Amino acid sequence: MSYTGWILLTASLVGLTCGIIGTFLILRRMAMMADAISHSVLLGIVVAFLITKQLSGGHMLIGSIIAGLATAVLVQFLHSRGVAQEASIGVVFTTLFAAGVVLIATKVGNAHLDVQHALMGEITFVPWNKVNVPWIGEVPQATLMLSIVLVIVLAVILAFYKEWKITSFDPALAASLGLPVVFMHYLFMTLVSVTTVASFDAVGAIMVVAMLITPAASAYLWTEKLSVMLLLSAGFGVLSAITGYYIAVWLDTSISGSMAFATGIVFLASFIGSPTNGVFSRYLRAAVVAEE
């Protein structure tokens, strides 16, 4: 595959996986958790580096997942003690992210680990860091990791599809039916953490947040059916990734930033043109009612 092809495939995998996970974030009214986890994993990456002195390997993934889960646990702990959920998220993720920034500035030294890379990623470097996969050949490490994560996410969602639907729309009903609401919550937070970590190195925190929230928010404007919303959100994520790449080529600017910008374009088009909740359709319905 060509250099451009690997970049598009990697970005599309980010859009696909984040779009699916983002649907449940929107339905559970936990959109800010995407921002929290995508920033707090920086602390896990830095701590893993300080322990091992290596910038690649499974320890980075483990450290990031632990940081993501720690964020979810701390937010839930503060919320259960009477702190508003939005305030809990704001306090936890800014504190953990700031701790990561301080450690980078004071402890990391000359290693290639900086805040700019964490925020914007380096998707242009993805095709150069390859691993050999049996029966397939050389594949970029980020692309392989994202492919594995996508399979895991799809498998877990399909395995517990009914449980996800009930706990997302009506947690109280799910609890009364005996469903493990707390277990499902932390399982979902694990999926969010794994997805964020897999996307983090390639595209950075900004694009991860954009892909987790905006495609799902766009899909929410088009349908109220969960299965359709999942498909639309995943499709919007891929569309944003591809469109953003060519915007970046056209303007000669940041690829990840352009992809995040493309998600905003998709949302704006949905906000205006959705046949059910769009501004234009609402105006037409209001005009028809006024005539009657």
Side-chain angles (χ1 to χ4, degrees), residues 132-204:
N132 191 27
V133 181
W135 304 296
I136 296 178
E138 289 191 333
V139 177
Q141 184 175 341
T143 308
L144 177 62
M145 182 181 296
L146 285 163
S147 300
I148 294 172
V149 169
L150 176 60
V151 172
I152 293 172
V153 167
L154 288 174
V156 173
I157 288 177
L158 291 175
F160 299 101
Y161 183 76
K162 291 182 180 179
E163 288 82 357
W164 292 126
K165 181 183 289 188
I166 298 174
T167 55
S168 296
F169 285 102
D170 196 338
L173 175 61
S176 66
L177 293 174
L179 295 179
V181 177
V182 175
F183 169 76
M184 296 300 293
H185 171 75
Y186 285 109
L187 177 61
F188 178 64
M189 286 297 100
T190 302
L191 290 180
V192 174
S193 299
V194 171
T195 301
T196 301
V197 171
S199 309
F200 188 87
D201 186 55
V203 300

Side-chain angles (χ1 to χ4, degrees), residues 12 26 34 67 72 98 121 267 287-288:
S12 296
I26 293 295
F267 178 80
V288 171

Side-chain angles (χ1 to χ4, degrees), residues 214-225:
T214 317
S218 303
Y220 190 75
L221 293 172
W222 288 87
T223 182
E224 295 180 354
K225 189 175 181 180

